[in-house]
Amino acid sequence: MIVQSTGRLVPPQGKAVEDPNHLLFPLIDKLGSRSLLSALDRSALFSLPYQEGTLQRGDYVTYEGNEVDSCCVLLTGVLSRQKLTGFGAKQILSLHLRGDIIDLQNALVEVADHSVQAVTLAKVVHIRREALLRAADERPAIARALLVDTIVDCSIAREWLLSAGQRNAHQRISHLLCELVVRERDAGLRSEHGWDMPLTQEQLGEATGMTSVHVNRVLQRMRREGFVRLEAQKLVILDWAGLQAAGDFTDTYLHRRIPVALQGICRSGPVGG
Amino acid sequence: MIVQSTGRLVPPQGKAVEDPNHLLFPLIDKLGSRSLLSALDRSALFSLPYQEGTLQRGDYVTYEGNEVDSCCVLLTGVLSRQKLTGFGAKQILSLHLRGDIIDLQNALVEVADHSVQAVTLAKVVHIRREALLRAADERPAIARALLVDTIVDCSIAREWLLSAGQRNAHQRISHLLCELVVRERDAGLRSEHGWDMPLTQEQLGEATGMTSVHVNRVLQRMRREGFVRLEAQKLVILDWAGLQAAGDFTDTYLHRRIPVALQGICRSGPVGG
DNA sequence: CGTTAATTTGAGACCATTCAATTTCGGTGG
DNA sequence: CCACCGAAATTGAATGGTCTCAAATTAACG
C-alpha cells in the first residue's frame, strides 16, 4: 500500500439514496470531502442543471483572454491549466482529476487568466455560472465549499511555486509524481500496481519548468536508482518512501481532511439577516 | 504617469457617510473593488469585531503547520507568504499590501500550509474566523467577495509560477517590480516619483527563486540599461514601457476590474430556500 | 507497415550558483 | 561628529545544472 486512506467523512445527514451514477456525483463527492454539506445542500447541488461534454486529447475548454460563463466538472480523464509567456513558452499550472471543478476561477473574473486543455480523452459536465452562483447564494454551505475548494487549489499552486523556485530537477519530477499518485488515489481511482501516467515527457517538462530532454535524463536516473518503473505510459512506483524523500514530498498542502475546527460552525441553510 | 487609473466602481448604494478612517476601510475598499457590495453588506463588514496589532519587521503572523483561527487584514506595511522546502530553502509565495486579507486561506483549512511574515513594520487587524464566516453565511455577497478575492490571489500565484518556470532572471525581476508598482498604486499608495521598495536583494531572490548574488547582478544591468534607479531603498522607474516589455508584464492576471457580466446577477441579501 | 509522435543520446554553451572576500549603507553610542 | 557595528550590497572566479540543437532510435496507431 503506498498511500494511506483519506479518512474522508461521510456527513451523517447524507442520504443513502443518492445515485452514485449521477453525473454530478464526483463533484459533490469532492466538495463533500473537504466541507460539510447537509442533505439539503447536496440535493441542491444534485439538482443543478448541466450539460455533458467530451474532450479529445489536446482540446481546449478555455483560452486565456476569453470570457467564461460556465465552469466544468471533470468526470474522467485529465485536464490541465496552462499559460504562455509573451515569448510562447508554456507552463502547465495544475493538473486535474475526477471531481475537480475547473474554470470556476475563470468564470468569476472578467477574462480568463489561463487556458484549460484536455491532457487525455476526457468527459466533463458544464454548469452555467449563474446556476452555480445562485446555489451558492441560497445555501451558504455551498458557497463555503466552493471557497474551500478554491483555497486548496491555491495551496497546490503555492507548492508548485515552491518546487519551481527552490527544488532541483530530480526533486521536482519526484514531487510531481508523488502528488499525482496521492490525488489519483483520493479521487477514487485505484492505482494498486501502476498507473496510466497521462503526461508525456514534454508535458512533464512543461509542468516542472524544464526541457523534455532533461526530463528524460532525470527519469532515466530515477529508473536506474530503482524508484519507479515507467514503460509504455505505465507508471509503477517501486519505492514510495524513497520517492517521497527524493521529491521532498509531504501531503499537508493537499489538505486531504475536513478541518475539525470548522465542523462545529457549519450552517446548512439560509439565515435571516 | 506609469499606471493608468483602475476605473474602480463605487457601488451606487454606497453610503457617503462611511468613515474612511475606520480600520476596516482598507479591507472593504479592497473587497468592493472586485465585487459589488450593497450598503447592507458593507455595514455588516464594518461591524465585524476586530483586534489591532503591530508587527515588527521579521515578525511572523503564522507558521506553516500551525492551526489558524483568525485572519488578518493588512493596514500599512508589507507582508509576505512563504514556505520552506525540507532542506531549508525559502520561497516567498506572495507579497501583500494595504487591504489584503491574509490567512483567510490558512484559517479555512486544518493546518496552515504556509507562513506569513512581516517584510516591513506593519499594522494589521485580526478578525476571528467565526465572525467572518458568520458574515459570509448571512450575506451571500460577502461570501462571493471572499471567493473572488481568493481567486485573484490564486491568479497571482499562477503568474508567479509561470515566471518561476518559464522566465529568466532578468524577466522575473522586471516582472515582479512591475507587479508591485501596479498593485501599490491600486492599493491607494501613490508612487509618483519612486517608491520605498521594501525588499532586500536577498528577499527579491527568495521571491523569484534566485540567489541574492544574481539578483544583484541583474539589478545592476537594469540600472545600466536605464530601466530603473534603485538607491537607498528608493525605487524609481525610469522607463515603464521598457520595464514592462523586459518583464513580459501585462496586468490581466491582476484582475483589476469588476467583471461586468457578474454585476447583474449579484444579490445582496439572504434569500429563502 | 508506413507514418507520426515520443523517447533517447551526445556535445557544447550558457545561465545561474557557490563560496569567499570586500565594500557600502544605516544606525548607534561615545 | 566620528568611530564602530551589523546588515546589505557588491565583486570575482570557479563550478555545475540545465539548455540548445541536432540526430538517432523507439513506440504508437491506423
Side-chain angles (χ1 to χ4, degrees):
Chain A
M1 175 171 307
I2 54 174
V3 184
Q4 73 275 26
S5 129
T6 64
R8 174 170 300 176
L9 292 179
V10 175
Q13 318 94 313
K15 292 189 197 176
V17 295
E18 283 178 3
D19 177 11
N21 293 320
H22 191 291
L23 286 185
L24 293 184
F25 187 83
L27 164 68
I28 293 152
D29 192 39
K30 171 96 185 303
L31 288 180
S33 75
R34 294 210 183 80
S35 303
L36 280 179
L37 297 173
S38 71
L40 283 176
D41 297 324
R42 295 173 73 93
S43 73
L45 287 170
F46 270 117
S47 63
L48 283 172
Y50 60 81
Q51 194 186 348
E52 289 183 64
T54 300
L55 300 168
Q56 298 302 316
R57 182 170 195 269
D59 281 359
Y60 279 85
V61 181
T62 305
Y63 286 100
E64 185 182 346
N66 282 6
E67 203 186 317
V68 174
D69 65 352
S70 73
C71 67
C72 79
V73 176
L74 183 54
L75 303 181
T76 65
V78 177
L79 259 52
S80 72
R81 292 204 183 106
Q82 54 188 240
K83 210 167 173 170
L84 301 175
T85 68
F87 302 95
K90 184 193 289 183
Q91 174 72 36
I92 293 182
L93 304 162
S94 59
L95 291 164
H96 296 277
L97 307 174
R98 172 182 177 276
D100 283 357
I101 317 167
I102 336 279
D103 260 355
L104 172 65
Q105 303 204 25
N106 276 332
L108 290 188
V109 294
E110 203 166 38
V111 294
D113 56 71
H114 60 271
S115 302
V116 176
Q117 189 182 23
V119 171
T120 67
L121 180 69
K123 282 202 185 354
V124 296
V125 150
H126 296 276
I127 303 176
R128 292 192 56 74
R129 169 174 61 193
E130 282 71 17
L132 195 61
L133 287 181
R134 192 170 308 116
D137 278 358
E138 290 172 359
R139 318 218 110 254
I142 293 179
R144 188 183 296 180
L146 293 177
L147 178 58
V148 169
D149 188 80
T150 304
I151 285 174
V152 174
D153 224 54
C154 204
S155 172
I156 296 176
R158 283 189 293 262
E159 182 75 24
W160 283 41
L161 178 55
L162 175 64
S163 272
Q166 306 294 337
R167 297 202 250 250
N168 65 27
H170 192 68
Q171 296 171 320
R172 290 211 291 275
I173 294 286
S174 304
H175 191 280
L176 178 57
L177 293 182
C178 286
E179 175 180 317
L180 288 178
V181 167
V182 169
R183 286 177 53 199
E184 186 238 358
R185 264 298 191 86
D186 283 1
L189 316 166
R190 70 224 158 289
S191 64
E192 305 303 335
H193 293 95
W195 173 48
D196 242 357
M197 236 287 296
L199 301 173
T200 64
Q201 295 184 3
E202 176 89 39
Q203 290 169 323
L204 276 174
E206 289 166 352
T208 51
M210 51 200 272
T211 301
S212 67
V213 172
H214 201 229
V215 169
N216 183 279
R217 297 197 234 261
V218 168
L219 283 178
Q220 283 180 54
R221 182 180 143 201
M222 288 173 61
R223 277 180 289 213
R224 206 179 324 120
E225 296 180 351
F227 289 121
V228 299
R229 209 164 60 213
L230 183 54
E231 38 197 30
Q233 310 268 49
K234 214 77 178 176
L235 172 73
V236 184
I237 308 239
L238 299 173
D239 178 5
W240 174 245
L243 191 67
Q244 275 186 297
D248 189 28
F249 178 84
T250 41
D251 68 358
T252 324
Y253 74 98
L254 293 173
H255 297 296
R256 299 162 77 194
R257 291 162 209 287
I258 298 185
V260 178
L262 288 180
Q263 293 175 18
I265 56 175
C266 267
R267 309 230 205 155
S268 54
V271 286
Chain B
M1 176 173 307
I2 56 176
V3 184
Q4 74 275 26
S5 129
T6 65
R8 173 169 300 176
L9 291 179
V10 175
Q13 318 95 311
K15 293 189 196 175
V17 295
E18 283 178 3
D19 177 11
N21 292 320
H22 191 292
L23 286 185
L24 293 184
F25 187 84
L27 164 68
I28 293 152
D29 192 40
K30 172 97 185 301
L31 288 180
S33 75
R34 294 209 184 80
S35 303
L36 279 181
L37 297 173
S38 70
L40 284 175
D41 298 324
R42 296 172 73 95
S43 72
L45 287 169
F46 270 117
S47 63
L48 283 172
Y50 61 81
Q51 193 186 350
E52 289 183 63
T54 300
L55 299 167
Q56 299 301 317
R57 183 169 193 269
D59 282 358
Y60 278 86
V61 181
T62 305
Y63 286 100
E64 185 182 347
N66 283 5
E67 203 187 316
V68 175
D69 65 352
S70 73
C71 66
C72 80
V73 177
L74 182 54
L75 303 182
T76 65
V78 177
L79 260 52
S80 72
R81 290 204 185 105
Q82 53 188 241
K83 211 167 173 170
L84 301 175
T85 68
F87 302 95
K90 183 193 288 182
Q91 174 73 34
I92 292 181
L93 304 162
S94 59
L95 291 165
H96 297 277
L97 308 174
R98 172 184 178 274
D100 283 357
I101 317 168
I102 336 281
D103 261 355
L104 172 66
Q105 303 204 25
N106 277 332
L108 290 187
V109 294
E110 203 167 36
V111 294
D113 56 72
H114 60 271
S115 303
V116 176
Q117 188 182 24
V119 171
T120 65
L121 180 68
K123 282 202 184 357
V124 297
V125 149
H126 296 276
I127 302 176
R128 293 192 55 76
R129 168 173 62 193
E130 282 72 14
L132 195 61
L133 287 181
R134 191 169 310 119
D137 279 357
E138 291 172 358
R139 316 219 113 253
I142 293 180
R144 188 183 296 179
L146 293 177
L147 178 58
V148 169
D149 188 80
T150 305
I151 285 174
V152 173
D153 224 53
C154 205
S155 172
I156 296 176
R158 282 190 292 263
E159 182 75 24
W160 283 42
L161 177 56
L162 176 63
S163 273
Q166 306 295 339
R167 297 201 250 249
N168 67 24
H170 191 71
Q171 296 171 321
R172 290 212 290 276
I173 294 285
S174 303
H175 192 278
L176 178 58
L177 293 183
C178 286
E179 175 181 316
L180 288 178
V181 167
V182 169
R183 287 177 53 201
E184 186 238 359
R185 262 300 189 87
D186 283 0
L189 317 166
R190 68 223 160 290
S191 64
E192 305 303 335
H193 292 94
W195 174 49
D196 241 358
M197 236 287 295
L199 301 172
T200 63
Q201 294 183 5
E202 175 89 41
Q203 290 169 323
L204 276 174
E206 289 166 352
T208 52
M210 50 200 274
T211 301
S212 66
V213 172
H214 201 230
V215 169
N216 183 278
R217 297 196 233 262
V218 168
L219 283 178
Q220 283 180 54
R221 182 178 144 202
M222 287 173 63
R223 278 179 289 210
R224 207 181 322 122
E225 295 182 350
F227 290 121
V228 298
R229 208 162 62 211
L230 182 55
E231 39 196 33
Q233 312 266 49
K234 215 76 180 177
L235 172 73
V236 184
I237 308 239
L238 298 173
D239 178 4
W240 174 244
L243 190 67
Q244 274 186 297
D248 189 28
F249 178 85
T250 42
D251 67 358
T252 322
Y253 75 99
L254 293 174
H255 298 296
R256 301 165 76 195
R257 290 161 209 285
I258 298 187
V260 178
L262 288 180
Q263 292 175 18
I265 56 175
C266 268
R267 309 231 205 152
S268 54
V271 287

